[in-house]
Every structure is written in C-alpha cells, then in structure tokens.
Amino acid sequence: MLRITDHGSAHTCDGILRRDFLEIGSLSAIGLTLPQLLAAQARAAESSSQPDDGRSAIMIFNLGAPSQIDTFDPKPDAAAEIRGPFQPITTRSADIQLTEILPHHAQHADKFSLVRSCFHTAAAVHDTGHQMLQTGRLFTGGLNTPHVGCALAYLKGRRSDLPPHVILPEPMGRTGGNLPHGQDAGFLGKAFDPLALMADPSKPNFKVPDLLPPEQIGDVRLDRRRKLKSLVEESMQRFESSQNAKLLESNFETAYRIMTSPQARDAFDLSKEPPAIREKYGMNRFGQCCLLARRLIEAGVRFVTINTFITVFDEITWDIHGSKPFTSIEGMKNIVAPMYDQAYGALLEELHERGMLQRTLVCNLAEFGRTPRVNPAGGRDHWPQCFTCYFAGGGVQGGRVIGRSDPIGGYPAERPVEPSEVVATIYHALGIDLETTLSGPAGRPFPVVDFGKHEIKELFQA
Amino acid sequence: MTNQRYFATPALVLAVMLAAVSGAVAESGPAESSDESLRILPGDFALTHPESRQRIVVEKLRGEQFVGEVRDECQLQSSDESVVKIASGVAIPVGNGRATISAREGQRKASVAVSVSGQENEHVWSFRNHVESVLSKCGCNSGACHGARAGKNGFRLTLFGFDLDADYSYLTRQAIGRRIVPADPGRSLLLTKPTGTIPHKGGIRFEPDSLEYRVLAEWIAAGAPGPRPDDRVIERLEVFPKYSQQQLGGRQQLLVQAHFSDGYVEDVTRWAKYTTVNSSVASVSDSGEVQIAGSGEGGAKVWYLNLSELAFLSVPYPGMVAPEVYAQADRRTFIDEHLLRKLQSLNLPPAARADDATFLRRAFLDTVGILPTVDETVRFLCDNDADKRERLVESLLARPEFVDYWAYRWSDLLLITGDHLRPKAVETYYQWLRTKVAANTPWDQLVREIITASGSTHEYGPANFFALHQDPETMAETTAQAFLGLSINCARCHNHPLEKWTNDQYYGFANLFSRVRSKGWGGDYRSGDGLRVVFSDTQGELLQPSKGKPQPPRPLDGQPIPFERTTDRRIELADWLTSSANPYFARSITNRIWANFFGVGLVEKVDDMRITNPASNESLLAAASQFLVDHQFDLKELMRAILNSAAYQRSSESVPGNASDDRFYSRYYPRRLKAEILLDAMSAATGVPTEFKNAENKPYAAETRALQLPDASVDSYFLKTFGRPERLITCDCERSDEPSMPQVLHLLNGTTLNGKLQASNGRIHTWLESAAGPESIVKELYLAALSRYPTPEEELRLTSVLAGALADPANANERRQLLEDLVWSVLSSREFLFNH
C-alpha cells in the first residue's frame, strides 16, 4: 500500500506512521487511474513546496434572497407599488446608490462593486439558486457538482492546520424544495466537504463543540489513545473499498491536527478579540460569524462560507413574502437589514485596515431577487429573473456598477450575468485557471466552469 | 389514409436472424464469431407520406442480446433507390413501392423490408403531434421558459404541452395575431423570435434552414390548423434497442417510434428529448446518441409528447471472470440466482463467504439493532452445527429486541415525534405500532389500518396520521411517498415533468382524502392536548385550482369513485394501495427491507421508485416483491429469505475485479452504524447505559436503549450529530449514516463516550475490582465490542501494553486511565463503528 504524505515522499507501510492528508490504497479501490494518482501526488507536493499565493475568499450567502429594489438596486422613479417605501441614499461611490436601510454599506461603497443584472432560468425555489450560485450548475442526472470552496480544497489542499473550507454557522437547512443546496463537495466525495461550525458564535461561552479534549485527558493521554487506536486498527482489507471508512480515517486525522494545533484552537477562540471589536460586528449570530471568518482567514483557511440564515422557516430572513410565517418589507428593514449592514461594514473595514482585502474576495450572493411589484401582504415574492450580487477584494475594483436592470428591476437591461459567471469570478479571484478540470464521476475530467463561461471582467479591469 | 403498421413480428425477426446467421455461417472466416449477427433496427417499417423519415441503426446481436451499434464499418444499401434512399443513416422515401435495405459488415449481413406509399399525398403537419413536439424539443414550453406559470415576456404555453387547446389559443388568438401570420409565415413571431431574427431572450432555438422551422412555417402556411377531435393520438413509445450491452467508450444511437391510436407508427427519434439516468455510466446527446462513460447499469430516458420510455444500457466491468466462478457460486435462496445472473452479465466476481464472527455481528445489527453479548458470541462461535446460521436467523426474528428495532424504523417512516405531536399522542401512536410489530402484522394490513384510521388520537394510534397531515394534499403526498415510494408533489401545479402523473390525477388522488375531518383541534404541536377525533364525512370535495372543480376521486391511475357515494373513500384507496396488483406497493416495502440489510437499495434513493429511476437488478426486485406478495406481506418471511441468502452472507472484502462495485452486491458494503444502534452498542460494550429524558425532562426507565425511545425529539447531542432523523418530512434522506467532523470530534473529546469510560460502574470497574489479567481483559473487550476473539497477534500487541501497568499495585489511577484509553481505542476503531 502506497502512502503519499504532504511532503511528496512515499513510505512503505511497515511501522505506524502519521497518516497525512492523502492516503492511497490500491488504485482500483478508490477508482484512481495512474495519471490521477500522479496528479494527486503532484498536487500534494506542490501545495507544500510552492509558496502559496495567499488568496482567500469569504462567501456571504444571503439565504432567503434580498429584494433588489429595496436594497442594492433602488428604483426611485418607478411607480409607488414598485419602488417600495425606502428612499435612495448616496454613497462613497459616485456610481452607486443604495436604499436608506444600508448606511454602513454606503460608507464602504468604494470597496465593493455591484452586479445588478444577475438572473437564472431554473425553477424559482430557493434550492436551485443555492446550487447554481455556489457550484455554477444546476444538479441534474444524479450529478451533484461541488461548492466552489470544496473544489478549491480539492485543488489546493489545506494551507495550515485548519481545514481549507469552513461553513459558518452551519450548512443550509430546509428551504422547502427538498433538494440539495450545493454546500458540499458533491461528486468529489465527502473527503472535501467543508468543516461546519455547528454552533452560534454569538452565544456566551461559545466554543466549537468538542474541539478540545476534556481536562482529564491531557496531551499525553490523547497521544496514547491515538497510538492504541493504530494498534487496534489492523489494515482491514474490507475497509479499503469503503469510501466512508476512508473518510472516517481522514476525519480523525483532521481532528487531531486541529486539536493539537494552538493556531487552530486560537482561531476559533472569540474570547481573544477585544469586546469593542465584537460589538463592532454586532453580538448576533451573523455578526460574530463575520468576525470569526476574518480570524479563520488570518489563520490560513482558504474559503469561508457564511450562511446569513439557515432556513426560511424558523427564522426571519430575507424571504419577505409578507404573509405568515414570513416577514414583510417593514420587517426586513427593522430586523434583518441593520444587523446585516453593520456586520458587513465591520468586516470590510477590518479586512481593509489589516491589509487583507487585496487577497481576500468577499462576495455576497443570493439565490434570486424579488418581485418588482409589492404584493398585497406588503412583501415581495421570488424573482429569479433579475437580482444583485456584489463583490469586494480579491482584485475587484470597488465602487462600480456592472450591468443594469430595467426601470422596474424586473429584467436585466444590460450585461445579463448567469450564475456560472458568478462562480467563474470567484475562481478567478482565487487564482484558479478556468480551464482547470476536476476528477468527475467515473474519472472523467470535469471543468470547474462550463466551457465559454468567464469571470465578470468588468469587476477586475483597472 | 389508414396506414398498415409494420413491426418486427417474431416470425419476421426470426427470419431475419436466420438469414443473417446462415449468411454468416456460410461465409464467415476464422476471424469472426459465428454467434454474433447483425440486426437492422427498428425492423421492417413503412414510410407513408412525403415527410416520413426513419432513422436506421445497425446493431450487433449476440444470441438474444444486443451488444452495440455497428457504424463506420457498415454499409447500408437500398435495393431500389426509386423507392427509398438512405442518407446519413436516415431512410428517405422517394416513390411508392417496396424495397429492402440491407446492411453488410464484413461477412455479416442483415436486411429489412420497407414499404413506401402515399408519396402523392400532400402532407400537413399536425398541431397536436408535430407543432407541439417542436415546441417541446426546442425547449419553448419548458418550465424555464414559456412553460412557466406566468410565461415569459407575455407569451405563455402550457408546460410540455399538457393543454393543447390552451396552447392553440395562445399561439393563434393572442398578441393581436402577430404570433402567426398566415399570409406571410416568415414574419410570424413564432419563427422570427426563435431564429434570432428579432431579439429573443431565449436565444436561438433553431435555424431557418432546419426541419423545425419548416414544420412551423408549413403549418402556418397551411392555415395553422388546430387540434381536431379526430387527430390520431399517441398511445405509446417504443425505443430501440431497449436493452443493450455496451462497452466502455462505446456509442449507441437510440431510435424512438411513436405508436398512435389508429395503428400508425412514426419515427420520432429527431423529435424526442433525451436524458441520462446515470451519468457515471452514460451520457446522451440531444439527438439521442449515447456515449458510454463507465461500468454498471445505466439508461437513457426518452420523452416525447408527454410519454416516457427507458432504454437500458448494461456495461460490464473490465476484466475476465471464468463462467465456473458463477456456476460454482453458493446459492441458498431465490435471491442468489437473480443476483449471480446480474453479476455474471456485468463481469463482477462474487466475494467469498463471510466468517462466522462477521455474520453473527452483522445479522444481529441488521435484524435487531444490538450487539450479541459475550456469552452469545462465544456460544455461536463454538457451535459446530452445520445449520447454526439458520438457527441464529430464527432466533433473531423471534427476539423481543426485534420489536424495538422495527417499531423504531417504522416510527421513522410514520414521523412519530414530539416535535409535531403532543406526548399522549406520541405514546398512543408508538404503542399501537409496537403491538403491530410484535404481532408480526402483515404490511398490507398495517398500512390499511393507517390509511383508514378514524377515532380518537388518544386512543387509536393511527388516527394520528391524520393529525400529522391535516390537508388532503399533504395526506396524498405522504401516502404516495411513504407507501409507494413515489413523489407526486410536482403534479400539484402541473403535469409531473418527470413522471406520468398529471395534474388531474394528483387532484383525483387528493380528493380521496377530502372528507377526512376531525372533531376538536387538539392544539398544535407546542401546546394543547393533541386530542383530535378523526372521522370521514359523507360530503365535501377538494377543488382542483386550475379548473375550479373537483376531480373524481381516484387512486392515481386506478378506477374513479362516483362523487355521490358516501362510504369512506379511504377504504377503496386502501384496497387499491395494498392490492397485490398494485405495481408500486410491494416493490416499495421490499426495497426498504432490502436496503435495511444490504445498506443500498435495489432502487436508490430508497423512496425514489420512479419509472425513470430503474432498479440495479430489476429481475431481483420483481422476484423479491412477488415473494412478499406470495407470502401475504409477512415481512419476516422476506427477511428470512434475505438473511439466509448467500448474497447477504458475503464478505465485505473485495476480490480482484469487484472493488469498485457499489450497487450489485458482489460483496457486502461496510457502513457506519446508525446513530441509535451505535449509542446502544457503546453502552453495551462499556456496560454503562445512556440516560435519556423525555419532553417533561423526566428520565426514561434505567437501561432504556436509544432504539426503545418512542420519540425522535428526545434530546441527545450524540444522536443528532450521528444523523438521527428529525421525523419532520417523509424522506429517507433525513437519516445520514456518513461520517463527519463533528462526529469524530465528539468521539474524541465529547462527553458521551468519555462519560461512559469514566463511569464508576460498568465493565472497566468490574475488571479492576476483579483484578482481571491482561489476556482476559483483551479477550472480553474484543468479544463484547467486535464479536470475535482477538487474533494471537492482536492479543500479544495489546497485552504487552497492559501488562506492565496492571501489574503495578501502586498506581490505581494510572491503571484505570490505561483501561479507559484501551476501551476508547477499540470503540473508536472502524471495526466497531462500522457494520461490515
């Protein structure tokens, strides 16, 4: 059995060695062909021997979907039943107007750029938009494409003791469609799934569940347990062809690494932040996730996905249908926008002050927009035909508006942008060549984005 | 203009085959195998009007099996080019008459008879059959475009053309008649938009020189005739080759013929829509060409005018397996013959038989959800009787823990949770279920009792089904999903895009539940007493929103019930549902039972029994379902047949050639223990039970196992993290058995396992109290946790670690901690965490 360590050297399997990131059994067992094996070897070698480009990304996914007209794409000249109750405000960018409910965004409008002409043609349920905006594709034919952060984990591996991709606070839950949301590694396999925090960092005494061993088990016992476990685990051949068994082992290795790394433990320790900073982000779940995301990027995580909300059913979110159990435009103004606006402003400011913005893309995505006409319940419904996404950092030039929607915010009038282009933009900012291929089902090469799809160049041009 | 239907009668087929074979035998050289012949698909055919076309595919036949297309090496020839000619694999009529088309590949030949007629007639494209199919093929009436509820840009079509009259009206009556311009067809929006002549947000759907354009243009020029009552109506599709064996890297062009009500047959290959069923095996292009990507069972779904068909593609695994391997393989129950046949057709070798210890542990976990005790393990392993495995199976099926385990599994299915039902209701429902499982009530009877339940939710458990689901649509959808494995939800708003269920059928089905009412509200799940008295009213209907009237109540595609009948409609529904003739009912429960023991269903996902999601082994699923029906739905009979089969008793160790199989059961697939089973197993191995508290924070009886909990809302971080279902939706996907980081972190650092290790009672305590020696500790630990003896090597390795510390009388603390660490290492090993 051949083992490939992060250091690009192979060991034969006598003795008990620390199993590292990638372990290969018999080639047929996990379906790797020799070229793929060598490619994996090369990647593992490359990730440690070449200097890392230091690029990272934070994806803020506004589950529920903000109303574009009431937030980033105001239509002050449209009829009352379209423009809604909010006034537009000027911002730090001459090109950008936002609505009055986003004053912090206005302060930082020189750092981000809006794409107001996003659209998609899949069914207007949340799940399809989740899939398309996070993986670039709609799932069909039984094929689950990977989240861009998971593809990154696959291509580049980890950069520090922490996993390469982390989801805060937890993966998306029920949004009514019973479809996958595209927040895992799909056909790449669960080995490249993100680590989910599974906790609320705004709670007092927040800690990552079970991150550290209990007091009675110090480092010595931890080590002894690890050795005993290796003794007990003979290499049972029956587990060689079990993906789940391999995944379990790889999970253990990741766990040990995180547990024994002071850097990793510190990254999750929000008590190390001064209270004033924590207050600046807002002592709520989303605010503290943004702060935690900054810390994780500093600690070497490549990609942090923040789900602003987790479900449309048990919390008040952007999904402002107006009728119960959803809130209305008013509710969004009072409950959702303030905490969102404050947290985003704090995040951009801190990234900027710490010199991280240049190499950290911050993208704010949603699964669709909302109907131009306010409905009788004082809300707006699903509208994938036109919505806004925005980007900051990672080489993006701020203060711009790319694309334009029509006078009622119903359809793109100029420069329509598909979800695949949004995802291509993220890959581009991370320095991934758009023609890179992943190892698809049955080993066939699977391009990270569909051929012919490019990043939104207008975001990056000088 | 009646057209004779030409089809490949068996006699004709035989004649063609014999001709091909005899030709081959007479002329074949040593290089060709004489049992391979050619066949021209679709067989004899007729071209009956000037626009008739027939795509031709030359297929290789080995015995009775199609084994791939012959293309470049093959020459196609018409015997009379004044009757029919061939261009790019398509037969085109020239003049009335008869001819033959023959194919020749090397020394092999085949031919088909072609009859051409009606060439003098003028052909008019039909709205129903041709215009609608263009609108479907080009995506115009898809959900993403004009088939959306609100259409696009003011132009709406019904989704995939499910309402012809509406579509005809939209096309000809709206938009001030600009969509169709009979006097100048080229100016019609119907043509200028999809060709991009006028800006079209949907892009260019076809070119002006395409057949699609010609169909629409000629139809407009002919006066845009609408659908007529005497139009021929499509009845069924036929796809060629329906079953074929393919090679890796191979290509196969599919053919589709539509059969109409008047006997007319048309080649619709160029109009049909194609999707792959399993993209890891094959992909399929828009023109129906399949490209093989990997080994296994795949297929292509073919759609035309709201009918679907499947073409099955079987791709053997690479490598060579001698026929003796299969001939000599173990066969113990009816399951084995079907399974081995599939393995042989796919070239997958079966793994060896699992040893006794492996079988013991596996059978215990899969049948009753617990580990055998140390004593039970020793007794079984030391038993020398040849039939001890059969006797073990019998004893498992009779154990009291059987009731716990299966009442729990069915509670998952029926959604018994305190998150949705009040405590008294939960208890009533759960106890009723337990009683049924304990009595081994046949499945059809159990389902009947649930569906037809009336009465108080505090007294009659299954009445709670109608407390959990309170409107007819939800009742209908849940019934279909839970008991038929069918998801009909999409048909709520329009005809189901993937299946044959129409909006009418959905509302007919839901109308079966429209008279179910209850006295008393019972509060909601957070408060109130949960008391509802369910009954069936004698009047009331559910209106179908799109039509504003009720549909006659009928179970999906069963017989409708007259509106005025006042008997409980659910009784007839239950008759239809549980009938042995119902194609979905037996298959669905059979598949669930199968997946319980093998870890992977014959159909995956387990509750996705769509026509277009075929089983990995159809003959096996059909046989197992029939077996269950023949045994009056006695689930234990099916379990017995499974447990005693050679298939179930295979090792999970792969042999060369079957390591990548994950669907065909050439070996057992190891899988992580389910959350509840794992927690209980840890309790048993450490001798320290888990304490559970109910909704009122009162502890359950001491030593209550997780599998004995009546309620999925019982608080447990361990169970939640390890994938216990929330029982909020009827979906097998709620439970997850995959490993994850939080699980591993919890095993390492969490309180559950560490708490059991540190407890003052339990196995470790007993070892210390009795001053047990290292050998007996290691033996007992392996027997308790892994259900086997340690190998001499393992024993040596571990006892040498223990020996020093245990002998030292001074440091009791150190001894204790070492034993805790040892037990931890075994309970966190794959062998413990997995069922293999």
Side-chain angles (χ1 to χ4, degrees), chain B residues 95-116:
Chain B
N96 294 344
R98 288 174 195 275
T100 39
I101 290 181
S102 50
R104 196 191 174 90
E105 183 231 358
Q107 306 294 1
R108 293 195 275 246
K109 291 197 298 194
S111 64
V112 287
V114 181
S115 147
V116 178

Side-chain angles (χ1 to χ4, degrees), chain A residues 121 141 190 195 209-214 216-217 221 224-225 229 231 233-234 237-238 244 251 259, chain B residues 144 279 358 652-653 717 738-739 741 745-746 749-750 754 758 794 797 814 817 820-821 824 828 830 836:
Chain A
T121 56
K190 299 199 77 57
L195 172 71
D210 306 329
L211 181 60
L212 297 175
Q216 319 84 296
I217 304 177
R221 280 187 76 183
R224 177 167 72 188
R225 285 186 170 190
K229 181 162 162 347
L231 279 186
E233 303 253 38
E234 58 178 74
Q237 201 268 0
R238 63 192 66 186
N244 276 350
N251 282 342
M259 281 158 51
Chain B
S279 52
T358 303
S652 54
E653 281 190 33
Y717 180 77
E738 281 176 345
M741 278 302 299
L745 286 171
H746 192 60
N749 306 319
N754 283 316
Q758 287 156 14
E794 286 168 336
R797 269 208 294 254
E814 173 57 27
Q817 289 183 354
E820 286 177 13
D821 292 351
W824 182 90
S828 62
R830 285 173 304 186
H836 49 87

Side-chain angles (χ1 to χ4, degrees), chain B residues 479-603:
Chain B
T479 301
Q481 186 76 68
F483 305 122
L484 301 174
L486 297 176
S487 169
I488 59 173
N489 313 10
C490 300
R492 190 164 177 165
C493 296
H494 45 62
N495 288 357
H496 202 299
L498 303 173
E499 293 296 22
K500 63 179 202 172
W501 311 121
T502 63
N503 186 243
D504 287 354
Q505 285 171 330
Y506 177 97
Y507 277 97
F509 192 58
N511 206 12
L512 290 165
F513 295 97
S514 56
R515 295 178 175 177
V516 178
R517 308 202 198 294
S518 73
K519 295 198 185 85
W521 172 50
D524 71 11
Y525 57 91
R526 284 164 298 211
S527 59
D529 57 10
L531 174 61
R532 294 163 64 86
V533 179
V534 177
F535 67 97
S536 179
D537 205 339
T538 53
Q539 43 99 26
E541 307 292 349
L542 174 69
L543 297 186
Q544 178 182 16
S546 61
K547 300 205 165 135
K549 306 183 298 170
Q551 280 288 328
R554 64 190 283 220
L556 288 180
D557 49 7
Q559 289 305 309
I561 301 172
F563 284 115
E564 55 285 356
R565 200 181 294 174
T566 54
T567 46
D568 188 346
R569 291 172 176 171
R570 297 176 299 164
I571 295 174
E572 294 202 38
L573 167 63
D575 290 342
W576 172 87
L577 193 66
T578 62
S579 150
S580 53
N582 184 321
Y584 312 104
F585 183 69
R587 283 168 74 90
S588 172
I589 183 62
T590 300
N591 196 43
R592 286 186 191 276
I593 301 285
W594 182 277
N596 176 77
F597 289 94
F598 284 93
V600 173
L602 287 160
V603 175

Side-chain angles (χ1 to χ4, degrees), chain B residues 240-309:
Chain B
F240 302 89
K242 184 146 171 79
Y243 298 93
S244 63
Q245 198 182 76
Q246 303 285 340
Q247 301 298 318
L248 289 171
R251 283 176 201 268
Q252 172 76 57
Q253 173 67 44
L254 297 174
L255 298 180
V256 188
Q257 281 187 333
H259 293 251
F260 289 84
S261 47
D262 59 354
Y264 173 67
V265 180
E266 181 173 342
D267 173 27
V268 297
T269 305
R270 60 200 161 152
W271 306 117
K273 297 203 287 188
Y274 303 91
T275 21
T276 181
V277 160
N278 183 348
S279 52
S280 65
V281 171
S283 62
V284 61
S285 75
D286 286 342
S287 57
E289 187 183 72
V290 168
Q291 170 96 56
I292 302 297
S295 301
E297 296 285 352
K301 185 189 102 162
V302 161
W303 185 99
Y304 178 70
L305 287 185
N306 286 303
L307 293 180
S308 294
E309 254 301 334

Side-chain angles (χ1 to χ4, degrees), chain A residues 14 75 79 199 201 259 264 344 351 362 432:
Chain A
D14 42 306
K75 300 290 177 189
M259 281 158 51
Y344 181 74
L351 289 175
V362 182
I432 305 284

Side-chain angles (χ1 to χ4, degrees), chain B residues 708-735:
Chain B
Q708 292 171 320
L709 294 173
D711 181 356
S713 68
V714 169
D715 201 27
S716 165
Y717 180 77
F718 185 97
L719 291 180
K720 179 164 164 228
T721 306
F722 279 81
R724 174 186 64 179
E726 291 184 287
R727 297 184 182 168
L728 297 179
I729 54 171
T730 306
C731 179
D732 206 64
C733 56
E734 270 201 328
R735 179 180 290 279

Side-chain angles (χ1 to χ4, degrees), chain B residues 671-732:
Chain B
R671 58 198 187 276
R672 203 212 69 200
L673 299 188
K674 298 190 196 324
E676 300 86 342
I677 299 181
L678 185 55
L679 183 55
D680 289 345
M682 285 186 175
S683 302
T686 54
V688 180
T690 313
E691 197 191 69
F692 297 102
K693 295 211 174 93
N694 66 12
E696 280 116 19
N697 217 26
K698 291 215 209 41
Y700 284 94
E703 316 231 352
T704 302
R705 286 180 288 116
L707 276 179
Q708 292 171 320
L709 294 173
D711 181 356
S713 68
V714 169
D715 201 27
S716 165
Y717 180 77
F718 185 97
L719 291 180
K720 179 164 164 228
T721 306
F722 279 81
R724 174 186 64 179
E726 291 184 287
R727 297 184 182 168
L728 297 179
I729 54 171
T730 306
C731 179
D732 206 64

